[in-house]
Every structure is written in C-alpha cells, then in structure tokens.
C-alpha cells in the first residue's frame, strides 16, 4: 500500500508534463520547393508528370545521412521538415513548369517518376550534397507501354552543414533534374527515335 502511495506523485508529475503551459512548444519550420527556371519547352509533347516515392520517403522529414559515421542510418532534422511529402512537392513543381513552358499545348506523352532518394548526404561534418535519385519512365498519350526509361542521379553541394544548406541544395538538385530529364533526355530521345514525336501527340500511339 505504501509503495502505491509513493508511485502516485511520480505519475502525477508525468501527466503534468503533458498539460498546456508545461514547457515551450517546439517551433518546426516547414519548407517548400520553389518553381524551377527553365525557359524552353520540352522537345517532346508532355501532358503530365506523376511522381511517387519509395516507402522511406513517404513522410515530410528532411532526411540526411552521415556517410562518414553511419552511412546505413537514415536521420531527419528535428526542427525542419518539408511542407508535404517529397513526391507531392516534386510533382507540383514539374507540372507547373510544364504548364508554363508549353502555353496552349494540350495532350502528349506522360512521365512517371519514382523517387528512390531525396536526402542530404554528409561526406564529413562540414561537407554535404543533396542527392535526388529517380527512376523515370516515358509513356505514350494512350496505353501503358514504356517508350523509354532512365535512372537519374543529381547531386548538389550544400552551402552549409545544416537543414538550411540541405534545402538550398535540394532546390538546386531538382533544377538540375528538370533540365536533364525534361530537356536534354527528351531532346536526345527525339533525335535518336524521331517517331516519338508522333507517339507524343495527343492522339498518338507508340510503335
């Protein structure tokens, strides 16, 4: 009985820590990705971009790795996070670019993207890169036959060894991904396989 009486105050203290006013609230900053700056339209008509992500990128955490210490351990910053899961942010940015770079254009091929990495990697305590890795599939206007596929890996150096530096580098990596994927890759595909221009018309079909 005496033991129970001694336990009650401790339990009351624990509950008290959960009450309003018990301590300062943690201020968590939410970060978005800005529009990308690419002026020219894609070499092929692209109607839509859809982005999904691997399961380890399904939340809003800003991930990082300490490759010099525990490369296998995925961490997330405590006071900073993305405003939405990375796939949602990347899809919104790329779709906005398509709309702005193709005024009056309707219909075309589709691009499906799977993000397999979206994280800041530290080679040392003072140097890090933000890495974006994506599996990209080009699909026709109709049907699900894959016309082309490629894996893209973009790395951008972070200006500082913290969340703010990682966020700046993430923006740079996304910009580089858009240029490589929507412009260089599609231009190369059109030059190598001219029939894709027809396949990517609104009513086209793949050969």
């Amino acid at each position: 009985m005496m033991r129970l009486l001694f336990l009650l105050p401790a339990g009351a203290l624990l509950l008290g820590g959960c009450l309003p006013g018990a301590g300062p609230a943690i201020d968590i900053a939410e970060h978005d990705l800005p529009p990308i700056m690419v002026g020219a339209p894609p070499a092929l008509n692209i109607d839509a971009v859809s982005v999904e992500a691997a399961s380890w990128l399904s939340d809003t955490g800003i991930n990082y790795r300490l490759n010099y210490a525990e490369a296998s351990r995925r961490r997330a910053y405590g006071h900073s996070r993305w405003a939405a899961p990375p796939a949602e942010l990347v899809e919104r940015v790329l779709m906005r670019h398509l709309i702005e770079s193709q005024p009056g254009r309707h219909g075309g091929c589709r691009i499906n993207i799977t993000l397999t990495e979206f994280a800041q990697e530290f080679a040392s305590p003072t140097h890090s890169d933000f890495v974006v890795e994506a599996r990209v599939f080009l699909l026709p206007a109709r049907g699900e036959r894959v016309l082309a596929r490629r894996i893209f890996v973009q790395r951008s150096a972070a200006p500082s060894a913290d969340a703010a530096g990682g966020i700046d580098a993430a923006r740079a990596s996304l910009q580089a991904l858009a240029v490589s994927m929507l412009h260089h890759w599609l231009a190369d595909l059109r030059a190598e396989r001219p029939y894709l221009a027809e396949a990517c018309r609104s009513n086209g079909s793949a050969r």
Side-chain angles (χ1 to χ4, degrees):
M1 189 68 177
M2 288 294 294
R3 184 178 179 181
L4 179 60
L5 291 174
F6 280 118
L7 287 175
L8 285 175
L13 287 174
L14 290 174
L15 290 174
C18 299
L19 294 176
I26 297 176
D27 183 19
I28 299 178
E30 294 190 346
H31 298 270
D32 204 348
L33 291 170
I36 55 177
M37 305 300 175
V38 183
L44 297 172
N45 290 8
I46 303 297
D47 184 50
V49 174
S50 62
V51 184
E52 58 185 19
S55 59
W56 51 88
L57 298 172
S58 61
D59 60 22
T60 58
I62 299 178
N63 289 184
Y64 68 95
R65 293 179 186 273
L66 304 180
N67 286 348
Y68 63 89
E70 294 180 277
S72 63
R73 182 178 175 185
R74 183 176 294 271
R75 308 164 190 250
Y77 287 106
H79 292 179
S80 297
R81 66 187 180 196
W82 297 118
E88 185 177 335
L89 294 178
V90 172
E91 180 174 303
R92 182 179 63 83
V93 169
L94 294 178
M95 277 300 301
R96 179 175 177 177
H97 169 64
L98 284 178
I99 292 170
E100 292 180 352
S101 66
Q102 301 179 114
R105 183 182 290 183
H106 300 285
C109 282
R110 296 163 290 138
I111 290 179
N112 288 356
I113 300 171
T114 299
L115 292 178
T116 54
E117 188 56 283
F118 199 80
Q120 186 177 4
E121 295 187 355
F122 284 82
S124 73
T126 58
H127 178 79
S128 64
D129 295 324
F130 198 94
V131 180
V132 178
E133 182 175 312
R135 296 198 304 265
V136 181
F137 302 87
L138 179 68
L139 303 176
R142 295 181 179 180
E144 298 301 318
R145 179 184 176 187
V146 175
L147 300 177
R149 70 186 74 200
R150 182 171 169 180
I151 295 175
F152 289 85
V153 181
Q154 300 292 340
R155 307 179 69 95
S156 297
S160 58
D162 53 14
I167 292 162
D168 285 345
R171 293 165 177 162
S173 289
L174 180 57
Q175 175 82 31
L177 174 67
V179 172
S180 296
M181 177 182 63
L182 294 177
H183 297 275
H184 297 164
W185 183 51
L186 294 183
D188 290 344
L189 285 175
R190 179 163 184 161
E192 295 165 2
R193 295 187 258 172
Y195 67 85
L196 286 178
E198 180 62 29
C200 290
R201 298 188 192 282
S202 59
N203 295 315
S205 60
R207 292 188 178 184

